[in-house]
Amino acid sequence: MIYLDHNATTPIAPAVREAMLPTLDGLFGNPSSIHEAGRLARNAIDQARRDVASFVNVHARQVIFTGSGTEAHNLALKGVALRRGKGRILISAIEHSSIRGAARDLAGLGFGVEEIPVTGTGVVEPAEVRRRLADDVILVSVMTANNETGVLQDIAAIARDVRAAGAVMHTDAVQAAGKCALDFSALGVQLLSLSAHKLYGPKGVGALVTDGSVDLSAQVSGGGQEAGLRAGTENVPGIVGFGAACALAGQSLDARSERSRELRDRFEQRLREKFDATVFGNTAPRLGNTSQFALADMDGETLQMGLDRHGIAVSTGSACHSKSTEASHVLLAMGVPVETARGAIRASFGAGNTQADVDALLAALADVRRVLPTGAVGW
Ligand code: PLP
């Protein structure tokens, strides 16, 4: 299989696996136990916390481990809103379903939720956020990088206005982490979410990074783990793997992202030469590994299935959308016509990819295009 779906998830890196193995074997203690077995597990978590913290340039005490990026988002949005009790929440129109779902829950509880529009290239203009800020806005959430298009946002500029208006600024940095440099203080946010499985770590572990100034209401109550904000015996293997993945990403970020960008750029250049293709968000600052595109008159799901038959894994957008025939809300928010949006597929390059994978993708696209009649949906 040629795997070109690294924005959906990544394989566990060998160094991460090595770091995790002892936690599946001898290092089995409960980190809350005070005997030696417990202390060893606690030490492993402490080291992982330091590794995650230094990856985003914060102190270890600012990292709260969660069960996923989705859970980190829920802790951020619901944690702020339920503590404040009332108010308005602004999210961008292109947020991942994990933010949209948490916001929808809060709307159901009576909080006002408003979407900030984006430009045709998928950019959230700071002025659009500023125009909506008012005394009753308690929280603003804008993603650092979009999972479908890879488009990057000017989080620092948005955060400056949000904080000046007295609201809390959260960013979903799940896709940016490991693909571009991330510095919590430089972004100027109060809350930032991460997920291990997007950066060659294990699934089922994430983190909410906080500046310590925000009073959060715990979303999982119980034994008081994670500073009382996320109870439950810690996922030691997952957390240790997350720490190792962050340490690795810190060391290999430049080489990794440069390589992915080269592959992506060469792919897009040849895509345009060979096909009548639209590439989404390509004039905005973007993650170097991501290419979301559509071929004229081709249905995205059909194209994806055709590539799968050639042993090539790509996505129709967000992995959560892959079973749905709905057009991407991200592309619709960018003003892409619904028929074009239905044609979208996403190739996201990663550490193991080579030029031969790009060649194979282009050849397979040509073959699927040749075999399938224009406008064909399904096999
Ligand atoms: N945010 C973005 C932008 C994502 O792409 C994803 C995963 O697809 C998530 C959040 C959810 O992270 P997790 O899978 O750890 O819940």
mmCIF file of all heavy atoms in Angstrom, residues 332-349:
data_model
loop_
_atom_site.group_PDB
_atom_site.id
_atom_site.type_symbol
_atom_site.label_atom_id
_atom_site.label_comp_id
_atom_site.label_asym_id
_atom_site.label_seq_id
_atom_site.Cartn_x
_atom_site.Cartn_y
_atom_site.Cartn_z
ATOM 1 N N LEU A 332 -17.225 24.257 1.199
ATOM 2 C CA LEU A 332 -18.442 25.065 1.016
ATOM 3 C C LEU A 332 -18.259 26.436 1.672
ATOM 4 O O LEU A 332 -18.664 27.450 1.115
ATOM 5 C CB LEU A 332 -19.660 24.335 1.594
ATOM 6 C CG LEU A 332 -20.030 23.014 0.903
ATOM 7 C CD1 LEU A 332 -21.300 22.424 1.514
ATOM 8 C CD2 LEU A 332 -20.206 23.187 -0.613
ATOM 9 N N ALA A 333 -17.609 26.452 2.854
ATOM 10 C CA ALA A 333 -17.372 27.731 3.547
ATOM 11 C C ALA A 333 -16.443 28.632 2.719
ATOM 12 O O ALA A 333 -16.491 29.855 2.827
ATOM 13 C CB ALA A 333 -16.764 27.475 4.926
ATOM 14 N N MET A 334 -15.598 27.999 1.890
ATOM 15 C CA MET A 334 -14.690 28.771 1.025
ATOM 16 C C MET A 334 -15.393 29.220 -0.251
ATOM 17 O O MET A 334 -14.767 29.831 -1.135
ATOM 18 C CB MET A 334 -13.465 27.898 0.667
ATOM 19 C CG MET A 334 -12.523 27.691 1.829
ATOM 20 S SD MET A 334 -11.370 26.290 1.594
ATOM 21 C CE MET A 334 -10.454 26.771 0.157
ATOM 22 N N GLY A 335 -16.657 28.882 -0.375
ATOM 23 C CA GLY A 335 -17.424 29.309 -1.541
ATOM 24 C C GLY A 335 -17.254 28.403 -2.743
ATOM 25 O O GLY A 335 -17.624 28.764 -3.868
ATOM 26 N N VAL A 336 -16.683 27.207 -2.547
ATOM 27 C CA VAL A 336 -16.517 26.262 -3.655
ATOM 28 C C VAL A 336 -17.906 25.707 -4.013
ATOM 29 O O VAL A 336 -18.649 25.299 -3.109
ATOM 30 C CB VAL A 336 -15.569 25.105 -3.231
ATOM 31 C CG1 VAL A 336 -15.491 24.027 -4.310
ATOM 32 C CG2 VAL A 336 -14.181 25.654 -2.894
ATOM 33 N N PRO A 337 -18.269 25.685 -5.287
ATOM 34 C CA PRO A 337 -19.583 25.137 -5.652
ATOM 35 C C PRO A 337 -19.696 23.676 -5.196
ATOM 36 O O PRO A 337 -18.705 22.938 -5.219
ATOM 37 C CB PRO A 337 -19.598 25.209 -7.181
ATOM 38 C CG PRO A 337 -18.528 26.181 -7.543
ATOM 39 C CD PRO A 337 -17.511 26.153 -6.444
ATOM 40 N N VAL A 338 -20.904 23.281 -4.818
ATOM 41 C CA VAL A 338 -21.101 21.970 -4.205
ATOM 42 C C VAL A 338 -20.640 20.827 -5.117
ATOM 43 O O VAL A 338 -20.033 19.858 -4.664
ATOM 44 C CB VAL A 338 -22.556 21.807 -3.700
ATOM 45 C CG1 VAL A 338 -23.540 21.724 -4.835
ATOM 46 C CG2 VAL A 338 -22.703 20.610 -2.790
ATOM 47 N N GLU A 339 -20.851 20.952 -6.443
ATOM 48 C CA GLU A 339 -20.442 19.878 -7.356
ATOM 49 C C GLU A 339 -18.918 19.736 -7.367
ATOM 50 O O GLU A 339 -18.390 18.611 -7.415
ATOM 51 C CB GLU A 339 -20.901 20.140 -8.814
ATOM 52 C CG GLU A 339 -22.332 20.619 -9.001
ATOM 53 C CD GLU A 339 -22.487 22.085 -8.622
ATOM 54 O OE1 GLU A 339 -21.733 22.922 -9.150
ATOM 55 O OE2 GLU A 339 -23.357 22.382 -7.776
ATOM 56 N N THR A 340 -18.210 20.870 -7.322
ATOM 57 C CA THR A 340 -16.739 20.815 -7.295
ATOM 58 C C THR A 340 -16.281 20.244 -5.961
ATOM 59 O O THR A 340 -15.368 19.409 -5.904
ATOM 60 C CB THR A 340 -16.143 22.235 -7.490
ATOM 61 O OG1 THR A 340 -16.793 22.850 -8.577
ATOM 62 C CG2 THR A 340 -14.649 22.192 -7.711
ATOM 63 N N ALA A 341 -16.933 20.672 -4.874
ATOM 64 C CA ALA A 341 -16.541 20.207 -3.535
ATOM 65 C C ALA A 341 -16.716 18.692 -3.424
ATOM 66 O O ALA A 341 -15.919 18.014 -2.778
ATOM 67 C CB ALA A 341 -17.363 20.924 -2.463
ATOM 68 N N ARG A 342 -17.733 18.163 -4.084
ATOM 69 C CA ARG A 342 -17.969 16.704 -4.033
ATOM 70 C C ARG A 342 -16.855 15.928 -4.730
ATOM 71 O O ARG A 342 -16.701 14.739 -4.528
ATOM 72 C CB ARG A 342 -19.308 16.347 -4.686
ATOM 73 C CG ARG A 342 -20.461 16.631 -3.778
ATOM 74 C CD ARG A 342 -21.570 15.589 -3.920
ATOM 75 N NE ARG A 342 -22.689 15.981 -3.077
ATOM 76 C CZ ARG A 342 -23.703 16.704 -3.480
ATOM 77 N NH1 ARG A 342 -23.780 17.081 -4.729
ATOM 78 N NH2 ARG A 342 -24.661 17.043 -2.641
ATOM 79 N N GLY A 343 -16.097 16.629 -5.550
ATOM 80 C CA GLY A 343 -15.001 15.982 -6.272
ATOM 81 C C GLY A 343 -13.694 15.946 -5.497
ATOM 82 O O GLY A 343 -12.715 15.361 -5.957
ATOM 83 N N ALA A 344 -13.681 16.567 -4.318
ATOM 84 C CA ALA A 344 -12.399 16.767 -3.622
ATOM 85 C C ALA A 344 -11.821 15.493 -3.034
ATOM 86 O O ALA A 344 -12.546 14.680 -2.453
ATOM 87 C CB ALA A 344 -12.583 17.793 -2.510
ATOM 88 N N ILE A 345 -10.535 15.329 -3.242
ATOM 89 C CA ILE A 345 -9.809 14.324 -2.469
ATOM 90 C C ILE A 345 -8.535 14.966 -1.915
ATOM 91 O O ILE A 345 -8.074 16.001 -2.412
ATOM 92 C CB ILE A 345 -9.482 13.023 -3.247
ATOM 93 C CG1 ILE A 345 -8.641 13.297 -4.477
ATOM 94 C CG2 ILE A 345 -10.724 12.243 -3.591
ATOM 95 C CD1 ILE A 345 -8.140 11.986 -5.095
ATOM 96 N N ARG A 346 -7.994 14.339 -0.877
ATOM 97 C CA ARG A 346 -6.827 14.912 -0.203
ATOM 98 C C ARG A 346 -5.704 13.883 -0.165
ATOM 99 O O ARG A 346 -5.908 12.750 0.266
ATOM 100 C CB ARG A 346 -7.199 15.293 1.230
ATOM 101 C CG ARG A 346 -6.031 15.834 2.045
ATOM 102 C CD ARG A 346 -6.377 15.939 3.509
ATOM 103 N NE ARG A 346 -6.538 14.637 4.136
ATOM 104 C CZ ARG A 346 -7.064 14.444 5.353
ATOM 105 N NH1 ARG A 346 -7.519 15.465 6.040
ATOM 106 N NH2 ARG A 346 -7.164 13.230 5.852
ATOM 107 N N ALA A 347 -4.540 14.317 -0.659
ATOM 108 C CA ALA A 347 -3.331 13.506 -0.480
ATOM 109 C C ALA A 347 -2.496 14.213 0.580
ATOM 110 O O ALA A 347 -2.250 15.421 0.462
ATOM 111 C CB ALA A 347 -2.556 13.405 -1.784
ATOM 112 N N SER A 348 -2.111 13.512 1.615
ATOM 113 C CA SER A 348 -1.255 14.135 2.641
ATOM 114 C C SER A 348 -0.016 13.274 2.826
ATOM 115 O O SER A 348 -0.103 12.115 3.198
ATOM 116 C CB SER A 348 -2.024 14.368 3.944
ATOM 117 O OG SER A 348 -2.780 13.234 4.331
ATOM 118 N N PHE A 349 1.130 13.884 2.483
ATOM 119 C CA PHE A 349 2.404 13.162 2.448
ATOM 120 C C PHE A 349 3.028 13.095 3.839
ATOM 121 O O PHE A 349 2.735 13.919 4.698
ATOM 122 C CB PHE A 349 3.356 13.856 1.463
ATOM 123 C CG PHE A 349 2.830 13.849 0.054
ATOM 124 C CD1 PHE A 349 2.019 14.884 -0.416
ATOM 125 C CD2 PHE A 349 3.091 12.789 -0.797
ATOM 126 C CE1 PHE A 349 1.508 14.880 -1.704
ATOM 127 C CE2 PHE A 349 2.588 12.762 -2.094
ATOM 128 C CZ PHE A 349 1.794 13.810 -2.543
#
